[in-house]
Amino acid sequence: MTLSRRNFLKGSVATAIAANGLTLFPAGKVFASDTITIPSATHYGPFKAVVKSGTLIGVQPINDVDPFPTEMLTKGVLSRTYSDTRIKYPMVRKSLLEDPLGDHNPHLRGKEPFVRVDWDTAIALTAFCIARTVEKHGNEALFSSSYGGWSHCGVNRPQTLQGRFFNLIGGQSICAGDYSAGASEVILPHVIGDMEVYSPQTAWEIVEKNTEAVLFIGCDPWKTNRVEFRVADHSMQKHWEAFKAKGIKFISINPQQTQTDKAVGSEMINIRPNTDTALFTAMSYHLYKTGQHDKAYIDKYTVGFDKYLAYLIGDEDGVAKTPEWAEEITGLPAAKIKELAELCVTKRTQIAAGWALQRADHGEMIHWSIINFAAIAGKIGKPGEGAGFSWHYGNGGMPASGKRMPIGLSQGRNPITKTCPVVMVSDMLKNPGKAYTRDGSNLTLPKAKLIYNAGNNLLSHQQDTNELIKALNDNIDTIICHEPWWCATAKYSDIVLPTTTTLERDDISSGGTYSNNKIYAMRQVIEPVGESLDDYEIFSRLAFMFNVHKEFTDGKTMYQHVKASYEASDATEDFKTFWQNGITHVSTPDAANNFVRHGDFYADPDKNPLHTPSGKIELYSETLAGFKAKDCPPMPQWIPPFEWLGNAKKGQVHVLSPHPWMRLHSQMANADVNSYESVDGRQIVLINKQDAEERGVKDGDVVEVYNDRGTLLAGARITDEAMPGVIYIHEGAWLQLDSKGRCNSGSINMLTSSQPTSGLAQATSANTCLAYFKKCTDAETPNQAYMPPKIVKSDFKVDIWSLQLGKRLKAVAAEQGPAQSPGEKLFYGSCTLCHAAPHPSDFTYKQWKGITNSMFPRAGLNEKDRKLVLDFLKDNAKK
């Protein structure tokens, strides 16, 4: 009998769970001899897996480490492990299997059935497609869409292993930047000498002692700290609660009241989406006109004020950027804008801005405008004040241990230097070789013919889904996917290689993106479901085919790599003890509790300059002026977005796509906990009562949301928490198209635009989106996104000899490059886990010095290791 979750829940092993609807076991529960607990960890927190007779029956949170375990951990992990959407066997789309040397009928992707094959056939076909692509088009034509690294929280993530394999056989084209904070991570190193969005924040203790007001701007730490890139320990709630108890004032500038706002009692200020730059520009103007700007601070710590001032007072365009000017744009009363500006001057104010703000047209401007305002107010670097852009992530505010954490296998240097900004993937497919600019460099897009996707749901991430699918089908010969579940990317692939979940492999991780104060064993809990293999084994088999097996594995099993990784860290317990217990703690120095973001710079800017050209905060950037990037001026300016409520047609609303409450992007969408996000199985859309009444929509109705880019069906949830004119559709719902081309599941990227923010960052503008909505009366079927595709049997047997693998593999064998230096190994092993490995030449050495100030603590490198990496970057950075 096929082991599905439905069948599993009928079995005696899970009778208690099914009867009680629970998967949570108390932390101290003692089990019978046939039941064991095994420590492991996920993005959702550390836990002990409860396993009976080889089957996972529940999850025990570790309460002394994770005080607020979420249902994603306690219920979702079990639910998705035995989901009917599991891919249990290697699968090949029928057209490719039956004619690997001929026409693969790419237009049938997502429609044609799959055929189960054995692993030998799957590996042979995968190797053949890679080799044939290199043979015909070169390694540049191999494009990695495995950008994110969010598939599990270990150090040996699929995209890291993929990079290691492909770099050994001549390289691959890769993504540049990310969807999360793509605009700010490019512009802020020019402005303040660091990416800031991935930087440690001022320590909790300093905030509690000094801060009088917190200004949230599109920031919801209560929700977004539920998951982490590593292992969430949910330590921030107690600090925000302490701030509230102390009497710190909270103000939230947001079109929607968030869970954080409810928890801390924020004063709500509803603002039109995409207009925050106008708000902070007017606040800066108000401080100057009323003489409340900090002239001494500006003179000592900033450059470019004269040029920025000319813009504020209207010398440049004849328009003074007054609060009254901003009122027309933002929808906020001028009096409230003045009040906000004066609050920040008269009280010790910590500005906490989210990343979502800059996922918009001209997104480079918003965080910069906040920095300019904070500098004009004289705030940056003072205890408990200033501007921070990572309070909502990684338990921002946690003191950092400064100790070395385990590191993964090094990807090695990529011989191919072609990159594609993530938001430009469809553009790359439609216009191979197209010229573009990014961060002042003139570049060309890769000429991709094969997409390799390991551990990433491309059809969920990428904006404008219809554009993407057409571009893939028109231009890509082969799509190969590593995936445990039948998500949309797997369904639209040609070869699908079933991978294990985090519970079915060994790895290692650390606790806290910034704190680095715990190391977790990610022990294998159960045997692989079906014939699933872990990514290390799959790439090892491919490496054998390409004659680089020894180089890929270093002669070690994954367990041996994990052990070596642990032993190279600053952990003090022996590995055997650690592996048995599942966790070890690393001490944090008391001094870390006194950390102030940019505190050293404020104390002595000459001794501790920022890593900007001037060494100071750049209110106007001469460097960016020299770039002359399209749509990106050299100082923060309000530029109307291509779509916003200021140019909306009658009936249009602004569509925002925040993170869900019970998912990590598209992860957990196939788990029972996704019901929290659903109405009758479809993604919810949050609609203000007024907007719903005008369109005759009631709570629970199926709603059709549409624009020129596409259409989706979603379940209406009527609320007072969203302002009129703005609707919310959480990102991450899986894709399923009906006969009319509508997403029957509610996938937001049917609506969003792939237009980049500007010619500087080429980042996503997903939150710049207008659409119409109405009650849907013609839904064809229930949502089928969480059902496997059609799988058929075939008597066809691939003639492996006809593929001429030996000849092809020999012809594309890459010459091995020089041995990696110690610094290069550390860089590609520790500092490139988050996304595809950047090229050292992506930034100047001065920029790298600023970026690594934040990157090194997150990577968990000690002082000796940091010097080795900096030496490597110095030799290879942009000149």
Side-chain angles (χ1 to χ4, degrees):
M1 181 176 65
T2 302
L3 179 61
S4 69
R5 183 176 183 274
R6 190 173 295 108
N7 291 329
F8 165 67
L9 288 177
K10 293 177 182 178
S12 59
V13 172
T15 299
I17 299 172
N20 296 294
L22 296 174
T23 60
L24 174 63
F25 291 95
K29 180 174 175 58
V30 177
F31 296 97
S33 59
D34 63 346
T35 303
I36 59 173
T37 60
I38 303 172
S40 196
T42 68
H43 291 303
Y44 317 102
F47 65 96
K48 290 183 179 179
V50 183
V51 180
K52 183 172 184 177
S53 302
T55 300
L56 177 72
I57 64 169
V59 171
Q60 258 188 327
I62 303 176
N63 295 112
D64 59 339
V65 176
D66 183 357
F68 297 102
T70 73
E71 289 189 10
M72 287 181 285
L73 175 69
T74 59
K75 294 185 178 181
V77 168
L78 173 61
S79 173
R80 71 174 188 171
T81 298
Y82 297 111
S83 165
D84 288 337
T85 59
R86 279 302 295 267
I87 307 170
K88 299 176 185 176
Y89 311 103
M91 296 285 178
V92 180
R93 190 166 58 83
K94 190 171 182 288
S95 287
L96 187 148
L97 179 70
E98 296 185 348
D99 192 7
L101 292 167
D103 182 6
H104 297 167
N105 295 318
H107 65 285
L108 295 179
R109 290 182 185 130
K111 303 173 184 177
E112 188 176 39
F114 286 87
V115 180
R116 175 182 170 181
V117 299
D118 57 56
W119 268 108
D120 286 346
T121 301
I123 293 294
L125 286 173
T126 300
F128 162 72
C129 291
I130 293 170
R132 185 176 66 165
T133 301
V134 175
E135 188 178 25
K136 293 174 64 176
H137 307 287
N139 280 73
E140 176 188 329
L142 305 171
F143 182 76
S144 170
S145 60
S146 313
Y147 115 100
W150 278 94
S151 57
H152 68 89
C153 65
V155 297
N156 295 298
R157 302 171 195 239
Q159 98 287 354
T160 300
L161 298 172
Q162 178 181 333
R164 182 177 178 85
F165 164 68
F166 277 102
N167 293 344
L168 287 169
I169 65 167
Q172 59 182 344
S173 299
I174 60 173
C175 295
D178 61 46
Y179 295 98
S180 296
S184 288
E185 69 182 23
V186 172
I187 201 165
L188 293 189
H190 296 287
V191 174
I192 200 167
D194 196 339
M195 288 183 178
E196 293 300 311
V197 288
Y198 299 129
S199 301
Q201 304 299 280
T202 295
W204 299 115
E205 190 172 313
I206 296 297
V207 173
E208 188 167 355
K209 287 179 180 178
N210 296 279
T211 302
E212 296 177 292
V214 173
L215 189 60
F216 291 127
I217 310 150
C219 184
D220 188 6
W222 228 262
K223 176 170 68 177
T224 47
N225 273 294
R226 286 161 61 85
V227 296
E228 271 198 49
F229 187 71
R230 292 179 178 171
V231 182
D233 56 18
H234 307 125
S235 298
M236 66 91 198
Q237 285 93 339
K238 61 185 178 184
H239 296 288
W240 292 110
E241 289 168 345
F243 298 163
K244 178 184 178 182
K246 188 187 175 187
I248 292 176
K249 180 179 178 65
F250 292 94
I251 301 172
S252 180
I253 301 173
N254 201 314
Q256 177 194 22
Q257 184 183 35
T258 69
Q259 190 62 38
T260 302
D261 297 328
K262 298 174 189 176
V264 300
S266 301
E267 174 191 343
M268 287 304 305
I269 299 177
N270 291 144
I271 188 172
R272 286 178 182 157
N274 292 188
T275 65
D276 304 86
T277 298
L279 169 63
F280 281 90
T281 300
M283 288 167 65
S284 292
Y285 173 93
H286 180 69
L287 292 188
Y288 173 75
K289 288 300 287 185
T290 57
Q292 297 181 78
H293 62 300
D294 192 330
K295 188 176 185 304
Y297 186 100
I298 293 168
D299 291 343
K300 186 174 182 179
Y301 297 101
T302 77
V303 295
F305 179 67
D306 56 336
K307 291 185 173 65
Y308 187 54
L309 178 60
Y311 169 70
L312 292 180
I313 62 178
D315 285 354
E316 182 176 297
D317 57 7
V319 178
K321 310 309 179 295
T322 65
E324 289 74 18
W325 164 84
E327 179 177 348
E328 294 298 313
I329 297 168
T330 64
L332 303 182
K336 176 58 71 173
I337 295 173
K338 296 173 185 178
E339 179 187 318
L340 280 173
E342 293 179 9
L343 170 83
C344 293
V345 170
T346 57
K347 290 188 177 293
R348 295 188 295 275
T349 303
Q350 174 64 61
I351 298 173
W355 299 343
L357 304 172
Q358 51 85 66
R359 292 195 284 269
D361 193 23
H362 315 298
E364 293 89 346
M365 299 292 98
I366 175 54
H367 285 167
W368 194 358
S369 69
I370 292 171
I371 288 172
N372 276 22
F373 169 76
I376 289 169
K379 297 291 183 179
I380 295 173
K382 294 180 178 179
E385 304 188 64
F389 305 101
S390 199
W391 286 102
H392 64 291
Y393 172 71
N395 287 303
M398 291 291 287
S401 74
K403 303 296 175 58
R404 190 183 194 195
M405 294 290 103
I407 63 173
L409 287 166
S410 172
Q411 293 186 46
R413 196 182 308 204
N414 187 355
I416 301 299
T417 58
K418 293 279 187 173
T419 61
C420 174
V422 288
V423 76
M424 296 183 73
V425 168
S426 297
D427 198 3
M428 171 194 73
L429 299 177
K430 295 187 297 181
N431 302 290
K434 176 184 174 180
Y436 73 99
T437 60
R438 186 170 187 265
D439 200 18
S441 296
N442 295 312
L443 306 165
T444 57
L445 293 170
K447 299 176 181 179
K449 300 304 291 183
L450 180 148
I451 300 284
Y452 208 103
N453 192 92
N456 177 44
N457 192 353
L458 174 64
L459 268 78
S460 175
H461 267 134
Q462 180 62 30
Q463 283 70 59
D464 198 337
T465 304
N466 282 324
E467 178 189 47
L468 174 65
I469 291 174
K470 185 177 189 306
L472 287 169
N473 291 347
D474 288 350
N475 300 282
I476 292 298
D477 295 336
T478 314
I479 303 175
I480 301 168
C481 180
H482 291 209
E483 181 61 43
W485 295 284
W486 281 113
C487 65
T489 302
K491 290 179 179 178
Y492 279 81
S493 294
D494 300 307
I495 301 174
V496 181
L497 307 178
T499 54
T500 55
T501 69
T502 58
L503 304 184
E504 298 152 46
R505 61 175 77 184
D506 288 329
D507 209 333
I508 192 169
S509 188
S510 52
T513 295
Y514 300 123
S515 56
N516 286 320
N517 60 0
K518 294 173 287 292
I519 299 175
Y520 291 107
M522 295 177 62
R523 286 174 52 184
Q524 181 176 340
V525 170
I526 56 174
E527 290 299 310
V529 169
E531 293 179 1
S532 303
L533 297 177
D534 64 65
D535 298 277
Y536 183 74
E537 176 62 23
I538 294 172
F539 284 120
S540 295
R541 294 187 185 192
L542 288 171
F544 179 82
M545 299 288 286
F546 284 85
N547 200 32
V548 290
H549 184 266
K550 179 180 178 183
E551 292 80 3
F552 180 82
T553 64
D554 281 339
K556 296 178 181 177
T557 65
M558 178 51 72
Y559 176 82
Q560 290 171 323
H561 283 299
V562 169
K563 184 173 184 290
S565 176
Y566 177 83
E567 291 173 344
S569 75
D570 285 338
T572 56
E573 281 187 316
D574 65 272
F575 179 77
K576 183 178 180 181
T577 302
F578 158 72
W579 197 247
Q580 178 65 34
N581 295 335
I583 182 174
T584 190
H585 294 265
V586 179
S587 63
T588 300
D590 292 338
N593 290 303
N594 298 317
F595 175 75
V596 176
R597 185 83 195 134
H598 298 301
D600 291 343
F601 167 69
Y602 177 70
D604 191 337
D606 295 323
K607 184 178 179 181
N608 305 293
L610 301 176
H611 295 285
T612 58
S614 63
K616 298 182 178 182
I617 302 167
E618 306 226 346
L619 309 182
Y620 176 100
S621 170
E622 295 288 354
T623 300
L624 294 177
F627 288 170
K628 298 180 180 178
K630 181 182 178 182
D631 295 332
C632 187
M635 58 183 163
Q637 296 182 354
W638 156 253
I639 307 171
F642 60 83
E643 294 177 10
W644 68 299
L645 290 176
N647 64 10
K649 297 175 183 178
K650 184 178 180 180
Q652 284 187 317
V653 292
H654 199 116
V655 186
L656 295 177
S657 46
H659 290 297
W661 183 256
M662 281 290 185
R663 293 197 302 264
L664 196 175
H665 303 308
S666 64
Q667 294 184 54
M668 292 291 173
N670 58 335
D672 289 352
V673 292
N674 193 49
S675 61
Y676 183 91
E677 312 285 347
S678 304
V679 173
D680 288 337
R682 293 182 180 87
Q683 173 62 48
I684 58 172
V685 51
L686 297 176
I687 306 172
N688 177 272
K689 285 184 177 179
Q690 176 182 322
D691 292 327
E693 288 174 1
E694 289 175 357
R695 294 161 179 83
V697 172
K698 297 180 181 179
D699 196 80
D701 282 348
V702 178
V703 172
E704 185 170 330
V705 190
Y706 57 98
N707 58 22
D708 290 342
R709 292 179 287 271
T711 304
L712 61 82
L713 306 185
R717 186 163 292 174
I718 313 305
T719 179
D720 288 326
E721 296 168 5
M723 67 180 283
V726 185
I727 64 172
Y728 292 79
I729 303 174
H730 297 156
E731 52 88 19
W734 288 13
L735 181 75
Q736 184 245 315
L737 301 182
D738 67 12
S739 68
K740 297 181 179 181
R742 305 174 299 185
C743 179
N744 192 32
S745 182
S747 179
I748 181 60
N749 282 325
M750 293 293 291
L751 306 175
T752 55
S753 170
S754 63
Q755 180 171 320
T757 53
S758 83
L760 181 79
Q762 302 284 6
T764 182
S765 59
N767 279 325
T768 297
C769 180
L770 294 179
Y772 302 92
F773 75 89
K774 63 183 180 180
K775 182 176 179 178
C776 177
T777 59
D778 63 345
E780 297 177 348
T781 65
N783 181 16
Q784 298 174 349
Y786 307 111
M787 296 173 60
K790 185 176 181 181
I791 298 168
V792 298
K793 293 183 178 180
S794 174
D795 295 330
F796 183 85
K797 299 294 183 183
V798 176
D799 181 0
I800 301 296
W801 291 103
S802 71
L803 303 179
Q804 297 182 311
L805 276 175
K807 177 184 175 181
R808 294 181 189 277
L809 295 175
K810 185 177 181 180
V812 303
E815 293 184 9
Q816 295 303 307
Q820 294 182 60
S821 68
E824 185 174 357
K825 284 185 177 180
L826 287 166
F827 175 75
Y828 286 112
S830 295
C831 306
T832 61
L833 282 177
C834 298
H835 303 293
H839 292 283
S841 59
D842 285 353
F843 298 100
T844 66
Y845 181 59
K846 184 172 235 183
Q847 286 178 315
W848 271 121
K849 287 180 72 177
I851 293 166
T852 53
N853 270 345
S854 297
M855 187 171 76
F856 285 156
R858 287 187 292 115
L861 297 186
N862 59 28
E863 289 300 324
K864 179 181 176 182
D865 291 341
R866 297 179 188 195
K867 183 179 184 308
L868 290 171
V869 172
L870 283 173
D871 288 345
F872 164 68
L873 292 174
K874 186 174 184 180
D875 292 338
N876 295 276
K878 182 193 295 184
K879 306 303 181 187

